[in-house]
Amino acid sequence: MDEIRTAAQAKAWLEHQGKSVQEFAREHGVDPATTYQVLSGRKKGKRGEAHKVAVLLGMKDGIILSPPGDATEAKK
């Protein structure tokens, strides 16, 4: 991703894909309420699930780490 999206751009991006916020949240396994809060600016996406949502929406440059013991974690 080249540019960080604003909240308005992220909403337009979802609309361009024909996805609702609810659908986006389900697809990515995140809380819909948190997604709405990030899009409205009530949550800044600094940590936790809000961070994950902001990165997935392209509103923040960052990485999403798997929690310890997650099935996607590389086996030792």
Side-chain angles (χ1 to χ4, degrees):
M1 180 176 15
D2 295 334
E3 287 187 33
I4 301 299
R5 293 184 181 114
T6 64
Q9 290 170 328
K11 290 176 192 176
W13 176 71
L14 286 174
E15 187 176 321
H16 180 73
Q17 295 180 66
K19 290 184 185 178
S20 67
V21 173
Q22 294 279 333
E23 187 177 0
F24 173 85
R26 270 193 308 274
E27 287 178 2
H28 294 283
V30 295
D31 180 44
T34 301
T35 306
Y36 280 113
Q37 291 168 344
V38 170
L39 284 168
S40 71
R42 287 191 302 269
K43 288 199 174 187
K44 303 300 180 201
K46 290 188 176 192
R47 61 188 66 84
E49 189 163 18
H51 166 81
K52 181 177 179 179
V53 169
V55 171
L56 290 170
L57 287 169
M59 294 175 64
K60 178 180 181 181
D61 184 30
I63 59 171
I64 301 169
L65 298 175
S66 299
D70 188 4
T72 60
E73 184 178 17
K75 296 191 187 259
K76 295 180 181 178

